[in-house]
Amino acid sequence: MTDASFARPRTETFEFAGATVELVDAVTLLAAARVNPVEPLRRAAWPVPVQRVDLTVAADTADHVFTARITTLSTPLATEHRMRGIVLSIDPLGPLLARRIAAGDQVVTRLVDGVGTAAAAAYRKLGLEKPAEREPEVLADAAAGLEAAVTYEADGTVARVEARVPRDEVTPAHLRAFVTLTLQAVTELAGPGSLDGRRFVISREAVPKAPPTTETVTLDMVGGLVDVVAELRQIAVSFRHPEAMARWGARRPQGILMYGPPGTGKTMLSRALANEIGADFREIRTPEILDKWLGGSERNIKQIFRDARRYRTATVMLFDEFDSIVSYAGAGGDAASQALNAVAGIFKQEMNDLIEENPNIIVVATTNFPHRVDESLTRSGRFDVKLSIPRPDEDGRAEIFRKMIRGLISAHETPGFRMFADDLDLNALAVASTGMTGADIKEVLRRLQLSKAMQEARGGPVTPISQEELITSVRDLRGHS
């Protein structure tokens, strides 16, 4: 049974090397990694010379695979930092200087910085700046029984940490151990005390501290569409790495057609894809194209694509309600049908070479009625990916409830205020909401939030949202739909 712990994530907090680490819902994270790789470390600030750390948890047929890629700067700044680290590691003078710097002594700070800068300049003048090759090593956590191999790329700017645990034996203790070994590798690169006061969150998904909006939605927030999300992640990767695509002569998708019932999240997925890529989002609505004057619609669609060819930043162009813009070619002989057919014809021409003329653009079209769209318009080469966005099944609805409730908890709960009770059974909610979409579930929660807020505004006693209230809200919405 899915219980309240899935809605309110289990969180473990521990200290390592002066840093605070928050490990969120490790059991769910490891289970999710069996299906798709999980990147659980985001938006962390790292000490010089470490630039970024990419942590991945994945699984093959035999093992859970933990990987960390630690990228360091290869610049004069990094060299100077290493030299300052050497100065501060000299015993007993180094610790004394470090304490004076921590206390805010500006004279000592300038002195140590000056020594580091001078040493780095001499280091470069003597031609010694090229980093020495580092031999592979092994880091181990005896308590968890985990060993991680550490290897370095030739130029010394990337360290790779990897560990494997049999799928049937992996536990949260292994994940915790790998995180500590990764941080240990970071401290070996950045020096003792470099992690003091820092905070790292290890989580399956980036839970927002503010209520998510259409503009901030990410693929992590999408529930119940595992295969669709995985496909969109692959598209985002192909978009972000044009050099790999060029090396292999590969062509990433130029267009994506999403189709399915209303309320299943097609527009939200389009926005989430843009955020995954790091792209601008341009939504083209029907009134921007269709014009009552003869020839106006054709001019509008040409202008939209003319502008698109000039975009110099990555952009997702969304044509929502696509069937209302380009109806089935030949369906009717009146003037309105002929105008739609003319727009469809121009759309075909514009899509033929869009990616070659501007690789910054990817086109997404959504429709509730795919049979109304001419198949020649959505063929491969124009729309290479076609994604069915169905109503969520029972597991999908449980996942949607989990993510939405968890987001609300993260955004609104404070010490002394609990938004949801501890009696939530997400499986029962999923059964009760059979046939509902993500939009319906969002409305169930919205109604309850409003009801509770109004109770408080009137001065009455207010309790956290309970399982019974959620079930009642689901039934009420179904009764009015």
Side-chain angles (χ1 to χ4, degrees):
M1 175 181 290
T2 304
D3 58 23
S5 64
F6 283 82
R8 192 181 306 280
R10 300 184 183 93
T11 300
E12 174 190 5
T13 302
F14 59 92
E15 305 287 328
F16 181 81
T20 301
V21 182
E22 187 176 338
L23 184 57
V24 181
D25 209 358
V27 172
T28 302
L29 190 158
L30 293 171
R34 292 175 178 264
V35 181
N36 289 301
V38 176
E39 297 177 355
L41 180 59
R42 299 177 177 85
R43 301 182 182 89
W46 300 98
V48 176
V50 176
Q51 188 175 27
R52 60 181 294 175
V53 177
D54 297 304
L55 185 67
T56 304
V57 184
D60 56 27
T61 55
D63 300 321
H64 262 70
V65 184
F66 301 94
T67 307
R69 180 183 170 88
I70 305 171
T71 305
T72 60
L73 296 168
S74 180
T75 64
L77 176 63
T79 303
E80 291 170 15
H81 180 84
R82 289 199 300 272
M83 292 304 174
R84 287 195 293 271
I86 291 172
V87 172
L88 295 175
S89 66
I90 299 173
D91 193 50
L93 179 61
L96 175 62
L97 294 175
R99 287 196 293 272
R100 295 288 296 275
I101 291 172
D105 191 320
Q106 295 300 312
V107 174
V108 173
T109 301
R110 287 195 295 271
L111 174 64
V112 173
D113 284 347
V115 172
T117 301
Y123 196 69
R124 291 191 292 273
K125 188 173 182 179
L126 293 171
L128 300 175
E129 191 172 8
K130 181 179 179 181
E133 291 187 7
R134 301 189 62 169
E135 295 294 324
E137 56 183 300
V138 175
L139 301 177
D141 185 307
L146 186 74
E147 289 190 350
V150 185
T151 56
Y152 300 88
E153 291 190 2
D155 63 0
T157 61
V158 176
R160 180 182 173 88
V161 186
E162 182 175 307
R164 287 177 170 266
V165 180
R167 283 172 60 112
D168 296 335
E169 300 176 15
V170 70
T171 67
H174 293 113
L175 176 58
R176 172 175 173 166
F178 185 77
V179 172
T180 60
L181 295 180
T182 298
L183 295 180
Q184 181 180 333
V186 169
T187 59
E188 290 182 4
L189 292 166
S194 57
L195 296 182
D196 288 353
R198 297 178 187 270
R199 178 175 178 270
F200 303 102
V201 178
I202 310 299
S203 174
R204 175 190 173 190
E205 55 209 21
V207 179
K209 292 303 179 184
T213 65
T214 302
E215 287 71 27
T216 61
V217 67
T218 67
L219 291 177
D220 285 326
M221 300 175 194
V222 177
L225 295 168
V226 174
D227 293 338
V228 171
V229 168
E231 179 79 20
L232 293 178
R233 286 194 195 281
Q234 291 297 317
I235 293 170
V237 169
S238 71
F239 203 104
R240 292 198 305 264
H241 295 278
E243 70 288 345
M245 305 299 288
R247 187 175 299 117
W248 290 91
R251 180 183 180 276
R252 66 159 177 80
Q254 171 181 269
I256 305 167
L257 177 68
M258 298 188 200
Y259 59 93
T264 50
K266 297 181 289 298
T267 303
M268 176 190 66
L269 285 165
S270 304
R271 171 70 75 169
L273 173 63
N275 291 335
E276 187 80 8
I277 293 171
D280 294 337
F281 187 73
R282 169 85 163 91
E283 183 174 357
I284 295 94
R285 300 179 181 275
T286 304
E288 293 183 56
I289 297 178
L290 300 186
D291 193 304
K292 65 180 181 179
W293 303 108
L294 182 64
S297 300
E298 295 91 318
R299 284 193 297 273
N300 290 340
I301 194 69
K302 285 181 179 179
Q303 186 61 51
I304 287 169
F305 277 97
R306 190 178 299 120
D307 292 342
R309 282 170 165 77
R310 292 196 290 262
Y311 293 159
R312 290 296 169 258
T313 58
T315 303
V316 172
M317 291 177 62
L318 171 64
F319 291 87
D320 209 358
E321 298 181 347
F322 193 48
D323 53 282
S324 66
I325 300 172
V326 285
S327 188
Y328 189 88
D334 58 7
S337 295
Q338 290 175 14
L340 287 174
N341 292 340
V343 170
I346 294 172
F347 201 101
K348 291 179 190 179
Q349 296 170 13
E350 298 288 352
M351 286 290 289
N352 283 341
D353 58 359
L354 179 62
I355 192 172
E356 285 76 21
E357 293 194 21
N358 189 353
N360 292 318
I361 302 299
I362 187 167
V363 174
V364 179
T366 66
T367 178
N368 302 332
F369 309 102
H371 59 280
R372 295 183 184 176
V373 181
D374 188 347
E375 290 184 3
S376 69
L377 181 61
T378 59
R379 66 164 173 78
S380 297
R382 291 175 180 141
F383 287 90
D384 307 289
V385 177
K386 301 171 184 64
L387 296 175
S388 171
I389 315 298
R391 292 181 182 274
D393 59 14
E394 186 173 311
D395 289 340
R397 292 191 300 277
E399 179 75 353
I400 291 169
F401 268 112
R402 185 184 71 83
K403 291 199 172 191
M404 287 188 179
I405 290 173
R406 181 170 295 185
L408 292 171
I409 288 172
S410 179
H412 297 292
E413 285 198 355
T414 58
F417 171 68
R418 291 174 75 84
M419 193 171 188
F420 290 89
D422 290 332
D423 67 340
L424 304 190
D425 181 345
L426 302 186
N427 285 340
L429 290 172
V431 172
S433 59
T434 298
M436 283 188 169
T437 65
D440 295 329
I441 293 172
K442 185 176 183 179
E443 177 63 13
V444 165
L445 294 170
R446 187 199 68 80
R447 291 185 179 191
L448 276 174
Q449 290 172 260
L450 178 61
S451 174
K452 291 291 183 179
M454 293 304 295
Q455 288 179 39
E456 181 176 318
R458 295 188 184 102
V462 184
T463 57
I465 295 171
S466 68
Q467 175 76 7
E468 182 180 355
E469 288 172 319
L470 281 164
I471 293 289
T472 299
S473 183
V474 167
R475 290 172 177 165
D476 287 347
L477 185 62
R478 295 189 66 176
H480 290 90
S481 60

